[in-house]
Amino acid sequence: MKIHEYQAKAILAKHDVPVPRGEVVYTVEEAEAAAKNIGGSVVVKAQIHAGGRGKGGGVKVAKNGSEAAEIAKKMLGMTLVTHQTGPEGRVVQRLLIEETLPIERELYLGIVLDRAIGESVFMASQAGGMEIEEVAAKTPELILKAPLLPVRPLQPFQARKLAYGMGIPLASTAAAVSAMIALSKAYDAIDGSLAEINPFILTKDNKVYALDAKINLDDNALYRHKDLLELRDMNEEDPLEVEASRFGLNYIKLDGNIACMVNGAGLAMATMDIIKYAGGQPANFLDVGGGASAEQIKNAFRILLSDPSVKAVLINIFGGILRCDTLANGVVSAARDLRIKIPVVVRMEGTNVELGQQILKESGLNFTVADGMKEAAEKVVRLAQ
């Protein structure tokens, strides 16, 4: 689950990571009042779930409250397009009004799960303010790493080594070390899947601050953090993904025109791959899970067909816990209720496969049954053209 910058900073501040003074606002009047309350020049920052806001016009400096109000008037309600939003952009509905700081240097701090070693890794770099992906591609030697052991924060000796590697001056080292350890404690406490401070700044008076912050939460651990669930902003999420989550379906919308319904994340990934191999473009990732009911299948079908770009559907099921006849009954029921007019290709294997195929064939509906994944992919690509 993604959260906004101001929410991430509130979490960091709670765990003693220094952050600038700021207020979240929703109206022009609130923006002006917040700027006057902070005093002096302020930064007006659009709050959306995407990076690259500055390049898209979503970060502006105001000299005073009146100027902050003028900026807020233009920014609130605007469609902000960045390299992460796609061409459709995101509508700005809230702003962060924040104090300006005397920046001396911009650094990078981040924590992410390294799947290769099966541990979270603390990353630090002197190349702050840049896209970390670009730094990794062009100058990987600038990214310093320290593995984090489970339920243990970054150790002081690791933090000091990172601070030295980034060239942090002695006058700022103690504050930087404390901030890095605090960041790792916050990441562990909230079951984060990503915590990033970019830039992490050193000021001219030797202080450190998280000037920007990004935190993603592990959805699978949210049952332990009921308070964090309140931070979810559904306006920033795809409506179909929100709808799918209501029924316990793992759905991610993509750009293609062939909808996929699969049970199991690995099989879903393989299905998207084989569609690409056959010359098609998957429209989504959808894992209905091993124990899906006929009602969940029906809702999954309805969500798939709500995407206007979908021209055909591929159902690829390995019947284990989810029996093939249960799937077939759910698909037939959904097809009748929704009056499906686009082609549907079904490939099933496993428990009760013969019964499942019989249900499909006797339904009187236009299903195409395939014997294997390769044949299913070729057929659905052809039908989607």
Side-chain angles (χ1 to χ4, degrees), residues 131-339:
E131 295 292 334
I132 196 64
E133 295 84 1
E134 183 180 340
V135 177
K138 296 181 179 179
T139 52
E141 69 277 4
L142 294 181
I143 300 179
L144 310 176
K145 298 179 181 179
L148 300 178
L149 296 176
V151 300
R152 288 188 65 188
L154 186 74
Q155 297 300 294
F157 78 90
Q158 292 176 304
R160 286 192 295 270
K161 185 177 180 180
L162 292 172
Y164 176 79
M166 288 188 288
I168 293 177
L170 185 61
S172 301
T173 297
V177 166
S178 295
M180 286 189 272
I181 294 172
L183 173 62
S184 70
K185 288 180 178 179
Y187 175 83
D188 184 63
I190 62 174
D191 289 308
S193 59
L194 171 71
E196 187 176 67
I197 300 175
N198 189 22
F200 175 69
I201 64 164
L202 309 181
T203 63
K204 297 183 186 300
D205 54 354
N206 301 316
K207 294 180 180 179
V208 300
Y209 290 93
L211 197 64
D212 197 358
K214 178 179 180 180
I215 288 178
N216 291 351
L217 306 172
D218 185 348
D219 294 353
N220 297 309
L222 283 174
Y223 71 94
R224 299 198 295 205
H225 305 282
K226 298 296 196 309
D227 56 323
L228 298 180
L229 273 172
E230 299 175 1
L231 303 182
R232 184 178 184 185
D233 183 359
M234 294 189 181
N235 293 320
E236 289 291 314
E237 300 180 31
D238 186 280
L240 294 181
E241 293 180 14
V242 173
E243 180 73 2
S245 69
R246 292 179 52 226
F247 301 102
L249 301 168
N250 298 306
Y251 173 91
I252 299 173
K253 190 178 181 306
L254 301 174
D255 297 329
N257 63 354
I258 298 175
C260 311
M261 183 192 301
V262 192
N263 65 328
L267 185 58
M269 296 295 288
T271 301
M272 293 191 295
D273 285 345
I274 203 165
I275 288 173
K276 291 279 289 184
Y277 182 76
Q281 294 289 338
N284 64 273
F285 169 99
L286 173 59
D287 172 17
V288 298
S293 64
E295 186 66 20
Q296 279 181 302
I297 296 295
K298 181 177 178 179
N299 284 313
F301 223 139
R302 178 175 54 78
I303 289 166
L304 291 180
L305 296 173
S306 297
D307 182 351
S309 63
V310 168
K311 304 301 181 187
V313 179
L314 173 57
I315 300 173
N316 188 14
I317 298 293
F318 183 83
I321 300 172
L322 174 56
R323 304 194 317 263
C324 292
D325 58 317
T326 299
L327 168 85
N329 283 322
V331 168
V332 170
S333 174
R336 285 178 175 152
D337 290 354
L338 300 172
R339 298 179 182 179

Side-chain angles (χ1 to χ4, degrees), residues 28-42 44 62-73 97:
V28 173
E29 293 74 22
E30 288 176 350
E32 184 172 10
K36 289 179 178 179
N37 183 46
I38 292 170
S41 64
V42 295
V44 182
K63 297 177 182 177
N64 50 48
S66 298
E67 195 169 314
E70 287 300 314
I71 293 172
K73 190 180 298 183
I97 311 297

